[in-house]
Amino acid sequence: MDQPLSLQSVPAWFVVLPDTDAAAAPAAGALRFASRSLPHASGRPWIVGRWDPGTTVTGAHRDVRVAVMGEHAVTADAADRAAAAAAGTASPAALDRLAGSAGSFHLLASGGGRVRVQGGVVGLRRVFHAEAATPGGPVSLASDRADVLAELVGAGLDERRVALEMLTSGVPYPWQGDPLWRAVHAVPGGHRLTLDAGGRPRTTRWWSPPDPVLPLAAGAAHLREALAEAVAVRTRGRDLVSSDLGGLDSTAVCCTAARGGTKVVAYTAAVHDETGDDVYWAERTVRALSGIEHHIVPAREVAMTFDGVDALPDLLDTPSILTVDRNRRMGIVERAAARGSGLHLTGLGGDELLAGTPARLHTLLLTHPLAALQAIRGYAAKYCWSRRAVLRRLLDRRSYDAWLDRLARDLTGPPAPTDEPLLDWAVPPRMPPWATPDAVSAARELIRTRPAPTGPRGRDRGEHRELVAMDGISQWVRHIGQMAAPLGIAVSAPYYDAPVVEAALAVRPRERITPWRYKPLIAEAMRGVVPEASRTRGTKANATLEEEAGLRRHRRALLALCEDSRLVRLGLADGKALREWCRRALAAETESCLLHPTIACEVWLRSRETVPLPAADREE
């Protein structure tokens, strides 16, 4: 029989086990494929898996054990102090303070028969849990990868979740990033998972966004400090790191690293569009700031969108729309690994955190109407929004649950107009034209049978929209990290550290988010860090040309995915309609982008084929 693919093949994973004899069977199953393990104070297996020991620090006090795994500056003494603090109080606050420090990591604790697992404030460090049937009764396990957990407990594929992943503008909260296996659950960002002495799970919140009350100047100072510490946590003790050097966000990260004294090897990818200006601004930055080794990747060496989609080697634990741009984005990471970098810094996360969303105007209109009206006029002029459409959205006070109800009803309706004001809970996603009636029904059922009330991710439309965007893009970083792991290089996103997120979200929205300036918060924060020649840059390159040209160049690879499609096998896609769509000339921003989620699902399903079906799902 084939061995479980993820447990056997994924280079980094861990499973967390409750402190009970009933967990002996799943522990033995995980230990068969693990290279490392840590015990509870009782001696039973606690954490089992594969990880770089250089990323892990442990502490102990009496029967309490603490482990910090990932990118952090926690010392063994600090971990011992955290264990002592946790042993002396029943409150989780002692460990929450450690969880909110600089870096990106998992925090795990064991003591008093209870086990605690938590990741980050967004979707970068995920925690999943599932129940395993054992001779001693059911117990819950946790892991940082959904596929590892699914294989360990024998969970089957949930076709309804696959159907939902086909939505064209992203999976709505709270399903975004959820596992595609039955009875495998995700812990939301900013929440902790606790397993009691019997292995029963409970999820509670440990982090909430700060109140946005700081003026821009004070917020910029806090952001500069938080970003500097986030970068230092990752570069400290390294002789060399690599970094993207493209837009304003990656420029801020790259310059912060260079001013910290670590040798930085920066990469800028040229784009095929002659109006793309990343190379121009990167060269200005490097000329003004010494100590950066700069490499420009010529456009002819940059992969187009859809390159190699029919032959990707990655084993991801969820589908990723990054699949269509996998080779383009991984090109720089592969070059950095070949140069000898063990850590690559990216500016991903900056857009959602620093540019924010005009949806904040909903609340601003009630608290600062004059400032809101001025901003509304600016955005309407900038994006060609009609006054009627703006007024309709601002007067719409539907709850998030009501928005989801309408979404379920309108899954096959026309897409939102491209000039629709960005003032709602989200751009309402739609099922693609090739989705079968069964796929539509499955997605609609899942949305309608959600736990009630679902509630939004944030306190209002703006906060919700920003946090959901951060959850989504942080998943990209997570997927890039899974793609890069076999190369021996970590991909790191400092903008997703809890202190950095808090520093940005604490700034008054009317100063952080404005139509009159491009990302004013990072521009102010980077005074004296990013050279003045680049600090006030107000442009951003895009890959529209790469998308349209890539569709023409790699149409054969797309059509190859249509042959014996796994989505067609599942009854979720109409093969004929999908092939016809892939043969057409498509506009990048309104048509070919509709393919991205479907391609992600198709590629992901193919990657899982060598995983044996759980016994309950096999035919007799």
Side-chain angles (χ1 to χ4, degrees), residues 9 41 92 176 258 261 275 279 299 301 398 426 432 445-446 468 479 508 512 553 559-560 563 567 585 601 608:
S9 305
Q176 181 189 58
T275 64
V279 171
E301 297 179 18
R398 280 178 301 162
E445 177 192 11
L446 197 59
V468 168
H479 291 142
R508 297 168 182 163
R512 176 170 62 95
R553 181 176 297 182
L559 291 171
E563 297 304 319
L567 287 169
C601 291
R608 311 305 312 183

Side-chain angles (χ1 to χ4, degrees), residues 10 16 75 127-129 131 141 168 172 209 231 270 279 289 292 296 387 414 433 477 497 581:
V10 170
V16 183
T75 64
V127 177
F128 303 95
H129 65 97
E131 188 177 90
L141 321 174
T168 57
V231 171
V279 171
L289 183 64
I292 297 178
I296 298 171
R387 292 182 180 180
V477 180
D497 283 17
W581 192 271

Side-chain angles (χ1 to χ4, degrees), residues 305-314 323-324 326-327 553-563 566 599-600 602-604 606-607:
T305 302
F306 305 116
D307 178 52
V309 292
D310 60 333
L312 296 181
D314 309 302
T323 296
V324 300
R326 187 266 185 202
N327 287 347
R553 181 176 297 182
H554 302 300
R555 196 180 304 276
R556 182 174 296 178
L558 276 175
L559 291 171
L561 286 180
C562 298
E563 297 304 319
R566 278 51 170 181
I599 293 170
E602 182 68 35
V603 169
W604 183 82
R606 290 172 185 243
S607 75

